[in-house]
Amino acid sequence: MTDTSTNALFIITSATNAPYAGSADQQQAGDPAGNGTSGGRAHGNGQPHATGNQPAQRYDNLLATISSINTHAPGSRIALVEYSAYPLSQPQHDALIEQVDYLMSYAANEQIQGFDRNLGSNQAIAAFSELTCLLWFLQVGQHHDLYKPFKRVFKMSPGIQLVSAPTDTVHFADSAQGRYVFPNATLAANAAGALALQFSNGYWSMDTALVPSFIALLQEMLESMHKLNQQGQAVFIESMLYKFIDASKIFYDLKPAVAGHSSR
């Protein structure tokens, strides 16, 4: 990670030790309701609850994602954004800081702790926390001109692994300049059972020129999510991405060069 030849910044959003991380994983696998753990509540006590998707496995998934970036995009930069109220352990932090370029953990943030205490489901906690922390990281990066060396900014989730160089994919094609690149939109049932279109939140990218406008979109998404939550409706990042990003700004990646649950 000593040059910028790949021209990419990879942002990995992770809730490594949170009890609701499984909810986000299942959403990306095509279960918009995160039914595996969405019925439970987190309690803001910093201790992960027992789930089928244990923190040790999620940490291994995170390491696999980082390793795939270092293998297939060795000139890139990696930012890890830990968005849950459940902090990394010291050994986890010490190991990760050696493998990524930027590590931001928001576990102690009052707003993130508030989401954990007050929202009605693990799925909602995960959605609000992830988008809020992604927004904060992008704002900090913009303030410090972080994006200038890069052509594209990628967003990835733990467990997704690159299987080829991003520069050989449509993300760096001329037709993707000035655009977002997403896999094809998929159909999923919303909370009321109606079918709706959504984008995968596990692996996508945007031209760095879009970062300022995407920050504004994130603010709009979060405002919309708050209104839906107040009305007792479920909120899903995937549907927000589809609803708020201008279709004319999207280029479709029909054969994502990744392995993992969000490659579906």
Side-chain angles (χ1 to χ4, degrees):
M1 297 187 289
T2 58
D3 63 78
T4 56
S5 59
T6 303
N7 254 341
L9 170 66
F10 288 84
I11 301 175
I12 305 170
T13 55
S14 177
T16 300
N17 293 322
Y20 45 74
S23 302
D25 289 346
Q26 290 197 15
Q27 278 183 261
Q28 292 152 10
D31 177 2
N35 289 328
T37 56
S38 64
R41 286 292 301 270
H43 299 287
N45 59 9
Q47 297 301 317
H49 301 180
T51 68
N53 184 8
Q54 294 293 338
Q57 181 60 55
R58 296 197 295 269
Y59 180 65
D60 288 343
N61 290 343
L62 173 58
L63 292 179
T65 297
I66 294 169
S67 176
S68 77
I69 296 170
N70 285 328
T71 298
H72 295 288
S76 65
R77 296 288 187 266
I78 303 174
L80 174 59
V81 177
E82 279 285 329
Y83 61 81
S84 81
Y86 299 79
L88 294 167
S89 68
Q90 196 61 49
Q92 288 172 333
H93 178 278
D94 292 346
L96 288 166
I97 203 68
E98 296 296 323
Q99 300 183 60
V100 302
D101 299 281
Y102 315 99
L103 196 166
M104 299 291 287
S105 175
Y106 294 96
N109 181 273
E110 220 173 274
Q111 187 171 344
I112 299 305
Q113 289 284 338
F115 288 154
D116 195 71
R117 289 191 303 268
N118 302 322
L119 290 175
S121 73
N122 286 339
Q123 186 274 327
I125 297 168
F128 277 99
S129 299
E130 181 174 5
L131 281 197
T132 299
C133 292
L134 178 60
L135 170 64
W136 290 341
F137 178 81
L138 289 173
Q139 288 175 322
V140 169
Q142 186 179 37
H143 179 74
H144 292 285
D145 293 326
L146 176 63
Y147 313 110
K148 282 187 175 180
F150 308 112
K151 184 174 182 179
R152 298 200 70 82
V153 174
F154 285 77
K155 191 278 178 191
M156 295 185 73
S157 296
I160 307 301
Q161 298 179 47
L162 299 180
V163 296
S164 66
T167 48
D168 296 333
T169 69
V170 298
H171 292 262
F172 283 87
D174 290 342
S175 48
Q177 289 186 17
R179 293 184 176 187
Y180 299 87
V181 174
F182 279 95
N184 251 352
T186 59
L187 278 172
N190 62 21
L195 290 176
L197 285 168
Q198 63 176 12
F199 284 133
S200 169
N201 186 40
Y203 174 71
W204 58 272
S205 77
M206 60 183 160
D207 190 304
T208 51
L210 293 170
V211 170
S213 60
F214 184 66
I215 287 173
L217 286 181
L218 280 175
Q219 293 169 326
E220 292 179 25
M221 289 180 204
L222 284 163
E223 183 179 347
S224 177
M225 287 165 58
H226 279 291
K227 290 178 180 177
L228 290 171
N229 186 65
Q230 288 170 355
Q231 296 165 4
Q233 299 185 47
V235 292
F236 304 115
I237 292 175
E238 292 80 3
S239 61
M240 291 292 108
L241 292 170
Y242 185 84
K243 178 180 179 181
F244 280 91
I245 296 177
D246 186 342
S248 68
K249 294 288 187 182
I250 294 172
F251 188 77
Y252 288 99
D253 183 5
L254 301 181
K255 295 181 179 179
V258 294
H261 48 248
S262 288
S263 61
R264 300 181 186 184

